[in-house]
């Protein structure tokens, strides 16, 4: 008897052998069922070797209790102790699968299936499984026989007799035998239907690929033909009845549960298409209608049941089409969609637990292998395998994938699939989620041979293998290209020039020859620069291929690399700072503007890093003014000073464009900015602040060059239009008014001459041809327009506005805001115009009619001939003009009484109007959405084309690039245009009600 407070020796031994509940285990061992063997050390050792000793012991006791009599129990115990193969198999299954333990408890004699250990028993095929299922003549008996066969596969699997690939192949063979048995039962139940038709069952997915899971939908396609002269319609009806019955036999739940769902949704037209088609109907569909992913699915098509001749005809007819898919028109866009990981539909709580669909999951390996098969299989029949690991081996042997990469992927894929198998085996449930419960993780880790610290060891191994897959997923496509052009390892298999060209075309490169030349220039040689670029390029090329213009991305990278490749910090930045390389790839392939800005001063690439010198957040106006004014002070002469100011402007324009692109495209470290309005505000504020700071610096330079420290007249620049509204785009002119006021004792003519000279020199210096983009100054909103003087005194403005001001001028003054020069003069100017733009009595009806007439005339005169008004972001229905004039009409009417309306910013005024109840919230939301989208379109056009525009590009590549910026994936430019029309149409309806009513 054990003394109180002391643990028995059995308790200690159980702990040592891996039991987590030794007390419960001790009770089970002391029970009558195990009385004869409880002291046998062999049993305890065998239990301790299982994935879950507690589960194995509990299952063994249940199995002994289920034996029909003492003789049967004695036979089981004797065999268990004497026969090591049975002991390892039986206890291994009981410790890994609660579901198979339940089966053994219900069918107490099925343990006998594990006794035989002949060589032919080690690797059964379809014929052996068919014999195991032969006596099943109804769905219930089929389930029992299926699980008896499954028991033998699981036993060999958990004991290590067969590896992952052999296990998956045996599961597929068992599924084949099961489908044949189910079809035989269906045909026996309806012999008349069977006599009318020939029916072939084509396995797809993992079953077709001979790599099935323990619990998975079995994907199939059915082909049917009439027998002899039978009516085809009746034959197809009979075949459909047989196919439906076969599916129910496998899928429906009975007293013995179900086998697995049979899924026919990969058939032509999916669920909407007929369950059974003739062969000619299948061929016609794939020739005319099928999408790329449907040909991808056909990689795994394999006849498994029914009429073998018809199944062979199906494969012979459709396989050639699979290898022609890379020549299809939409193949590149489809490839881009296929290559991008689809994780949006995975619940956020599951992403980090997904073995199949998450980043670094099984789908990444499978899609990469299948894509390379589609690209290169048309010219290399060795790649025509439906099995992932076999295809990966063939790709490596042919030089299409690097051997080291293939070996790492093979190891990672086997580990991840083994995890998936063990997870599913536990309860025989279809899941791809790693469990969270520590007990489940412990059993899973032990089942994979991790015994010291199974939970921590499992997490480390899983993350390591997922990281390998994630890292190699993109490199798999590109590293062989670099090997082919660099040719640093003689004797190794590598891509032929034709195979390299095929791959570049498939990945979206329009000029593969030029792209390969760029790769050769970047990756060849033994220099440190070439070595680092060979490391970086596989990832960079993947990011380029994810854009609308991969060719431009690669060309621009070569230009930057040629300019900076000898500076140590550049390659170190890309290699060591995680965000820099991806940010650079996005910026270089998103259009012309950002690369053009960068090429004029490549050192600005440092802004793309995440270190102390990097950062894409736009700088505020005080910082910009401080830097520009300091540069002006250091310069010798006005032209040099303004050159320095324009250089700062160019760099900061690049920073803003890069931040906009990265926010629009998203990166691994930074998801796409969900609030599109925030990106619009970022660009509008940044470019407007930058323009104001540039004007301030240029003004200082002009004054210093001509007059020293003090100009004879106070001088201020007033921002108008989008400039005053903090809504400048990349290609916007700066609308301004110039105002001056003679200093005391200065002659008015002298002051006026000085002010005019300042304006002329300021405009000249900002437009002098140079490497930096010009800043165009537009003063056409001044009193009397182009006919009036460029500069007026404050008194002149006051006299003019008091006597002559027109409605359009008061309207334009809604955007007036001081931006540079004498702050006090600027403040007094805004005080002067406030009563005009926010009149105490609002607007009279005649003024409202005049504003409407002005808007109509502007749209009719300025809309370009031949342009589609519905797609014109500025002047079209529901565009910027519609929204802004509607908001500004509210400001003119109610700005005097509603303080929130006294703002130069469109979105702020719209929000204030909504808050004051002047525009219903729903309508304000519609107008805001339309204004943001139209502004984004204009920004996108400038980023993509490098020149301003108000309409969508007609060039397909440019249109696709605008689409990518606006969040539409490859092949969805039409959806983008539809979305714009829909948004603008809704906004126009609101404008009709608020502006024109």
């Amino acid at each position: 008897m054990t003394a109180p407070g002391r643990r028995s020796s059995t308790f200690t031994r159980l702990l040592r052998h891996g039991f987590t509940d030794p007390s419960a285990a001790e009770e089970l061992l002391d029970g009558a069922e195990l009385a004869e063997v409880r002291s046998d050390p062999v049993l305890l050792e065998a239990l301790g070797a299982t994935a879950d000793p507690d589960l194995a012991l509990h299952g063994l006791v249940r199995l002994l209790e289920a034996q029909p009599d003492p003789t049967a129990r004695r036979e089981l115990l004797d065999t268990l102790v004497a026969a090591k193969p049975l002991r390892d198999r039986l206890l291994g299954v009981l410790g890994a699968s609660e579901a198979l333990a339940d089966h053994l408890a219900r069918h107490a004699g099925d343990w006998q299936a594990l006794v035989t250990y002949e060589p032919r028993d080690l690797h059964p095929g379809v014929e052996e499984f068919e014999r195991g299922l032969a006596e099943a003549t109804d769905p219930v008996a089929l389930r029992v026989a299926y699980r008896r066969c499954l028991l033998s596969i699981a036993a060999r699997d958990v004991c290590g007799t067969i590896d992952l690939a052999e296990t998956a192949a045996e599961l597929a063979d068992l599924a084949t035998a099961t489908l044949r048995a189910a079809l035989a039962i269906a045909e026996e139940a309806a012999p008349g239907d069977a006599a009318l038709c020939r029916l072939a069952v084509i396995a797809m997915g993992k079953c077709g690929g001979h790599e099935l899971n323990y619990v998975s939908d079995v994907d199939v396609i059915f082909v049917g033909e009439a027998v002899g002269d039978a009516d085809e319609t009746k034959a197809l009806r009979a075949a459909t009845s047989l196919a439906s019955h076969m599916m129910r036999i496998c899928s429906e739940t009975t007293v013995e549960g179900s086998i697995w769902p049979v899924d026919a949704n990969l058939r032509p037209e999916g669920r909407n298409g007929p369950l059974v088609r003739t062969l000619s109907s299948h061929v016609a569909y794939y020739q005319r209608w099928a999408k790329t992913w449907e040909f991808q699915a056909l990689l795994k098509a394999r006849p498994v049941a029914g009429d073998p001749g018809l199944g062979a005809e199906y494969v012979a007819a459709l396989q050639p089409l699979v290898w022609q898919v890379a020549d299809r028109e939409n193949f590149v866009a489809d490839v881009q969609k296929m290559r991008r990981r689809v994780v949006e539909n995975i619940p956020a709580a599951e992403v980090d637990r997904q073995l199949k669909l998450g980043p670094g999951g099984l789908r990444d390996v499978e899609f990469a292998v299948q894509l390379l098969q589609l690209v290169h299989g048309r010219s290399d029949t060795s790649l025509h395998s439906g099995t992932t690991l076999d295809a990966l081996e063939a790709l490596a042997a042919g030089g299409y994938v690097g051997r080291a990469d293939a070996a790492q992927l093979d190891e990672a894929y086997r580990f991840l699939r083994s995890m998936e198998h063990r997870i599913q085996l536990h309860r025989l449930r279809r899941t791809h989620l790693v469990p969270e419960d520590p007990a489940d993780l412990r059993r899973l880790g032990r089942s994979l041979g991790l015994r010291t610290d199974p939970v921590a060891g499992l997490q480390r191994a899983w993350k390591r293998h997922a990281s390998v897959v994630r890292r190699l997923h993109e490199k798999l496509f590109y590293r062989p290209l670099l090997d082919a052009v660099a040719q640093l390892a003689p004797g190794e298999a590598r891509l032929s020039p034709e195979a390299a060209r095929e791959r570049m075309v498939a990945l979206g490169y329009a000029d593969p020859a030029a792209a390969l030349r760029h790769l050769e220039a970047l990756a060849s040689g033994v220099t440190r620069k070439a070595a680092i670029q060979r490391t970086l390029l596989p990832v960079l090329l993947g990011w380029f291929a994810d854009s609308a213009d991969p060719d431009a991305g690669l060309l621009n990278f070569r230009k930057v690399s040629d300019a900076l490749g000898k500076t140590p910090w550049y390659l170190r930045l890309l290699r060591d700072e995680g965000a820099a390389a991806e940010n650079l790839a996005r910026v270089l392939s998103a259009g012309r503007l950002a690369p053009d800005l960068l090429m004029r001063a490549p050192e600005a690439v440092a802004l793309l890093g995440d270190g102390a010198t990097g950062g894409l957040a736009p700088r505020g106006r005080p910082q910009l003014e401080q830097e520009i004014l300091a540069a002006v002070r250091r310069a010798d002469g006005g032209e040099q000073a303004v050159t320095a100011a324009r250089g700062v402007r160019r760099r900061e324009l690049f920073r803003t464009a890069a931040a906009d692109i990265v926010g629009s495209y998203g990166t691994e470290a930074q998801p796409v900015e969900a609030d599109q309005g925030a990106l619009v505000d970022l660009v509008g504020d940044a470019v407007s602040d930058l323009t104001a700071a540039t004007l301030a610096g240029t003004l200082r330079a002009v004054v210093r060059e001509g007059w020293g420290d003090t100009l004879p007249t106070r001088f201020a620049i007033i921002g108008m239009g989008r400039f005053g509204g903090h809504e400048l785009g990349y290609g916007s002119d700066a609308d301004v008014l110039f105002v001056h006021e003679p200093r005391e004792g200065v002659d008015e003519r002298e002051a006026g001459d000085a002010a005019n000279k300042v304006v002329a020199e300021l405009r000249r210096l900002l437009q002098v041809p140079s490497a930096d983009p010009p800043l165009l100054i537009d003063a056409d909103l001044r009193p009397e327009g182009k006919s009036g003087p460029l500069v007026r005194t404050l008194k002149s403005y006051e006299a003019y506005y008091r006597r002559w001001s027109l409605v359009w001028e008061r309207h334009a003054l809604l955007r007036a805001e001081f931006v540079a020069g004498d702050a006090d003069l600027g403040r007094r100017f805004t005080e002067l115009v406030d009563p005009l733009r926010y009149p105490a009595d609002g607007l009279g009806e005649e003024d409202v009619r005049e504003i409407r007439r002005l808007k109509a005339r502007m749209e009719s005169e300025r809309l370009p001939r031949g342009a589609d008004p519905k797609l014109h972001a500025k002047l079209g229905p529901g565009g910027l003009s519609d929204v802004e004039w509607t908001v500004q009409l509210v400001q003119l009417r109610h700005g005097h009484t509603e303080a929130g309306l006294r703002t130069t910013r469109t979105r702020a005024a719209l929000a204030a109007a909504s808050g004051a109840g002047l525009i219903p919230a729903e309508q304000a939301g519609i107008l805001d959405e339309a204004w943001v989208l139209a502004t984004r379109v204009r920004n996108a056009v400038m980023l993509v084309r490098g020149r301003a525009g108000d309409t969508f590009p007609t060039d397909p590549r440019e249109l696709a690039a605008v689409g990518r910026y606006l969040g539409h994936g490859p092949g969805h430019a039409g959806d983008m245009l539809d979305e714009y029309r829909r948004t603008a149409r809704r906004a126009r309806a609101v404008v009709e009600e608020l502006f024109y009513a």
Side-chain angles (χ1 to χ4, degrees):
M1 179 177 176
T2 304
R6 294 186 61 190
R7 290 178 172 171
S8 69
S9 60
T10 304
F11 186 98
T12 305
R13 279 192 300 139
L14 290 169
L15 276 177
R16 193 168 64 248
H17 281 94
F19 287 84
T20 57
D21 190 352
S23 299
E26 201 168 8
E27 285 186 29
L28 291 174
L29 287 169
D30 287 340
E33 291 78 9
L34 291 172
E36 300 173 35
V37 296
R38 72 166 60 98
S39 59
D40 192 321
V42 171
L43 176 63
L44 204 56
E45 289 287 344
L47 287 167
T50 65
D52 188 338
D54 302 84
L55 187 64
L57 178 57
H58 185 258
L60 177 60
V61 171
R62 289 177 63 205
L63 177 58
L64 288 166
E65 289 173 343
Q67 296 306 305
D69 53 56
T71 303
R73 189 178 302 125
R74 178 72 258 171
E75 181 187 3
L76 172 57
L77 283 173
D78 288 347
T79 312
L80 188 69
V81 172
K84 184 179 188 311
L86 170 76
R87 185 167 62 244
D88 292 343
R89 288 177 167 196
L90 178 58
L91 295 182
V93 168
L94 293 175
S97 178
E98 193 176 299
L100 288 177
D102 291 342
H103 172 83
L104 286 169
R106 289 196 306 273
H107 304 280
D110 277 5
W111 67 272
Q112 299 277 2
L114 303 179
V115 173
T116 54
Y117 203 73
E118 301 298 327
R120 61 182 172 80
D121 174 55
L122 295 181
H123 301 291
V126 176
E127 291 183 9
E128 287 80 9
F129 288 127
E130 282 190 291
R131 283 197 293 270
L133 303 176
E135 296 181 7
T137 57
D138 62 73
V140 173
L142 183 60
R143 280 152 177 71
V144 175
Y146 173 82
R147 283 201 167 74
R148 189 182 304 122
C149 293
L150 189 66
L151 188 65
S152 67
I153 297 175
R156 291 191 300 280
D157 177 19
V158 298
C159 290
T161 308
I162 53 178
D163 65 12
L164 177 277
E166 292 169 322
T167 301
E170 287 190 19
L171 289 167
D173 285 341
L174 176 56
T176 296
T178 305
L179 289 170
R180 292 178 182 179
L183 183 57
I185 294 172
E187 288 175 338
E188 189 172 336
D193 286 342
L196 280 175
C197 65
R198 300 167 65 202
L199 176 65
V201 183
I202 312 297
M204 305 288 285
K206 283 189 162 53
C207 183
H210 226 227
E211 50 187 10
L212 196 60
N213 295 329
Y214 275 103
V215 186
S216 174
D217 291 358
V218 171
D219 296 309
V220 299
I221 286 177
F222 296 105
V223 193
E225 296 286 352
V227 170
D229 296 329
D231 179 75
E232 184 177 283
T233 303
K234 291 181 179 178
L236 286 177
R237 191 179 302 127
T240 301
S241 178
L242 290 173
S244 300
H245 191 189
M246 186 203 82
M247 293 173 69
R248 291 196 302 275
I249 290 169
C250 297
S251 306
E252 286 182 347
T253 302
T254 69
V255 291
E256 286 292 338
S258 67
I259 302 176
W260 17 247
V262 177
D263 189 341
N265 288 335
L266 290 177
R267 67 185 184 270
E269 298 181 79
R271 293 179 183 178
N272 298 321
L275 185 63
V276 183
R277 287 176 183 258
T278 63
L279 177 57
S280 61
S281 176
H282 276 283
V283 171
Y285 174 84
Y286 282 102
Q287 286 178 334
R288 188 170 185 184
W289 303 110
K291 297 180 172 61
T292 299
W293 70 264
E294 293 178 282
F295 290 102
Q296 180 191 4
L298 283 175
L299 282 169
K300 297 185 178 294
R302 179 172 65 93
V304 291
D307 189 304
L310 182 57
E313 290 176 43
Y314 175 89
V315 171
L318 291 181
Q319 282 299 304
L321 300 180
V322 173
W323 308 114
Q324 297 167 15
V325 68
D327 297 323
R328 288 163 59 92
E329 182 180 349
N330 294 322
F331 180 69
V332 171
D334 291 341
V335 163
Q336 288 181 313
K337 285 185 281 190
M338 285 156 52
R339 282 179 46 253
R340 291 160 64 190
R341 299 187 186 98
V342 182
V343 295
E344 292 85 357
N345 296 327
I346 305 174
E350 295 182 359
V351 170
D352 293 334
R353 297 168 53 211
Q354 261 283 353
L355 276 173
K356 181 178 180 180
L357 300 177
L362 295 165
R363 182 63 61 83
D364 276 356
V365 181
E366 293 161 358
F367 267 40
V369 168
Q370 290 163 21
L371 177 54
L372 291 176
Q373 285 181 277
L374 290 176
V375 172
H376 299 296
R378 53 183 166 174
S379 58
D380 189 343
T381 57
S382 71
L383 304 182
H384 294 192
S385 172
T387 307
T388 300
L389 291 175
D390 290 348
L392 181 58
E393 183 180 3
L395 286 165
Y400 304 105
V401 171
R403 286 193 178 276
D405 290 347
Q408 284 187 290
L409 272 184
D410 182 283
E411 181 187 1
Y413 187 74
R414 288 175 185 271
F415 182 84
L416 296 173
R417 281 295 303 272
S418 296
M419 279 184 70
E420 184 181 48
H421 275 191
R422 297 293 196 272
I423 292 168
Q424 293 181 349
L425 181 60
H426 180 221
R427 291 194 174 92
L428 288 183
R429 289 181 184 168
R430 181 176 179 267
T431 179
H432 308 287
L433 293 179
V434 177
E436 296 178 294
D437 182 76
D440 290 333
L441 290 171
R442 180 177 184 274
R443 180 185 59 256
L444 179 56
R446 284 173 60 90
S447 76
L448 295 169
L450 304 167
R451 298 303 172 93
T452 305
D453 186 352
V455 175
L458 174 68
Q459 294 284 2
R460 282 195 302 271
W462 172 32
K463 297 303 180 188
R464 176 170 59 84
H465 286 297
S467 176
V468 166
V469 173
R470 195 161 54 243
R471 189 178 71 250
L472 292 181
H473 175 65
E474 291 292 352
K475 292 184 180 180
L476 201 66
F477 300 105
Y478 301 106
R479 190 172 283 164
L481 291 167
L482 300 180
D483 292 342
V485 297
Q487 298 186 5
L488 294 178
E492 285 198 9
R494 60 169 58 94
L495 289 180
S496 66
E498 180 58 24
R501 191 199 70 80
E502 286 177 347
R503 187 171 301 191
M504 295 303 280
V505 170
L507 294 166
Y509 289 84
D511 188 349
L516 288 168
R517 286 197 301 273
H518 298 324
L519 287 183
E520 184 174 3
L522 288 162
S524 296
V526 293
T527 63
R528 176 176 174 273
K529 172 187 172 184
I532 292 177
Q533 289 183 160
R534 280 195 297 273
T535 302
L536 293 169
L537 274 166
V539 180
L540 288 170
L541 287 168
W543 288 323
F544 293 150
D546 193 37
S547 73
D549 195 349
D551 300 81
L554 180 56
L555 172 61
N556 289 330
F557 178 70
R558 182 180 176 184
K559 289 179 179 177
V560 172
S561 185
D562 287 347
L564 295 177
K566 293 182 180 179
T567 56
W569 63 264
Y570 165 67
L571 292 172
R572 189 167 60 244
L573 171 82
L574 297 185
R575 184 190 63 196
D576 298 340
E577 294 201 27
E582 185 172 6
N583 288 345
L584 179 62
R586 297 299 183 200
V587 166
L588 293 181
S589 56
R592 295 180 184 174
L593 178 66
D596 285 351
L597 293 169
L598 181 61
M599 296 310 166
R600 289 166 182 166
E603 65 276 4
V605 78
L607 299 175
L608 300 170
D610 47 15
T613 60
L616 293 180
R619 301 164 72 202
R621 180 170 167 183
Q623 291 175 285
L624 295 169
E625 276 200 20
Q626 183 179 15
E627 180 182 1
I628 289 175
L629 291 175
V632 167
R633 281 195 300 272
R634 291 191 298 269
D636 294 327
E639 290 204 8
Q640 189 182 96
V642 176
T643 297
R646 288 174 64 180
V648 174
R649 177 172 176 264
R650 179 204 61 241
R651 184 197 68 211
E652 295 303 318
L653 276 175
F654 173 74
R655 188 198 304 265
T656 302
D660 189 15
I661 290 166
V662 170
S664 298
Y665 273 70
T667 63
E668 288 189 10
Q670 177 182 328
V672 173
E673 172 59 61
D675 183 0
Q676 302 297 292
L679 287 173
V680 165
D681 293 341
L682 177 145
V683 174
D685 283 331
V687 178
S688 300
D689 285 345
L690 180 56
T691 301
T694 304
L695 285 174
T698 305
L699 178 60
R700 177 71 59 87
V702 170
V703 171
R704 190 185 68 172
E705 178 82 355
W707 294 271
D709 292 334
T710 305
L711 189 67
T713 185
R714 295 180 180 87
F715 190 89
I717 303 175
I718 309 298
M720 299 290 284
R722 298 193 180 286
F723 185 17
H726 296 258
E727 296 162 3
L728 283 180
Y730 300 110
S732 301
D733 296 348
D735 289 318
V736 298
L737 298 178
F738 298 110
V739 56
H740 78 103
E741 184 179 64
R743 296 186 184 277
E744 292 182 8
V746 176
D747 178 70
E748 201 163 305
R749 179 184 293 275
E750 180 189 352
D753 289 345
N756 277 291
K757 288 179 181 177
V758 165
V759 171
E761 185 66 2
L762 183 142
R763 298 178 80 178
R764 182 187 74 81
L765 289 173
L766 289 173
Q767 297 176 44
V768 168
S770 76
D772 302 311
L775 174 56
L776 301 179
I777 305 300
D778 187 340
D780 288 353
L781 291 176
R782 64 188 183 271
E784 302 179 74
K786 294 180 180 180
S787 304
L790 269 176
V791 193
R792 287 177 181 262
T793 64
L794 184 63
K795 286 183 179 179
S796 175
Y797 275 106
E798 182 181 9
Y800 177 86
Y801 286 137
R802 182 175 65 249
R803 188 171 182 184
W804 304 108
S805 70
L806 302 174
V807 172
W808 74 264
E809 291 171 316
R810 283 182 279 157
H811 185 193
L813 287 171
L814 285 168
R815 304 281 218 149
E817 181 174 285
F818 166 74
V819 292
D822 189 300
D824 178 67
L825 181 59
R827 176 186 57 77
R828 285 186 285 134
F829 179 87
T830 54
E831 289 175 353
L832 167 67
V833 300
D834 274 351
L836 294 168
R837 56 183 174 177
Y838 310 126
D841 299 330
L843 281 184
E845 283 305 310
E846 182 55 38
D847 287 340
V848 172
R849 283 194 293 271
E850 177 62 17
I851 288 174
R852 289 172 179 156
R853 279 196 297 269
L854 285 168
K855 183 176 185 305
R857 191 180 76 190
M858 180 187 73
E859 290 171 2
S860 66
E861 291 177 355
R862 296 188 184 178
L863 191 69
R865 181 175 297 177
D868 181 354
K870 293 180 180 177
L871 291 175
H872 199 280
K874 183 177 181 180
L875 301 176
L880 295 172
S881 174
D882 264 4
V883 177
E884 289 166 2
W885 284 60
T886 300
V887 173
Q888 289 158 8
L889 184 61
V890 174
Q891 288 181 281
L892 287 166
R893 280 173 161 169
H894 304 285
H896 181 75
T897 55
E898 292 293 339
L901 293 174
R902 296 197 284 274
T903 175
T904 61
R905 300 171 184 249
T906 301
R907 298 188 73 207
L910 182 57
S914 177
L918 300 171
I919 297 179
E922 182 181 356
Q923 292 184 331
I926 291 171
L927 293 177
D928 185 71
E929 180 187 9
W931 189 88
V932 166
L933 179 57
T935 304
R936 295 262 296 154
V937 168
R938 296 180 90 208
N939 286 345
V941 170
M942 184 65 188
L943 284 169
V944 169
R945 304 180 68 191
R947 60 182 188 273
D950 296 316
T951 59
F952 290 90
T954 54
D955 178 79
R957 282 223 163 188
E958 292 180 347
L959 186 64
V962 170
R964 294 301 310 279
Y965 173 86
L966 295 176
H968 296 272
H972 288 278
D975 295 340
M976 169 184 66
L977 299 179
D978 289 343
E979 181 194 3
Y980 182 84
R981 291 188 185 98
R982 186 168 55 250
T983 303
R985 187 166 57 246
R986 293 173 65 213
R988 180 65 179 194
V990 174
V991 171
E992 294 283 356
E993 183 176 337
L994 298 180
F995 185 81
Y996 289 109

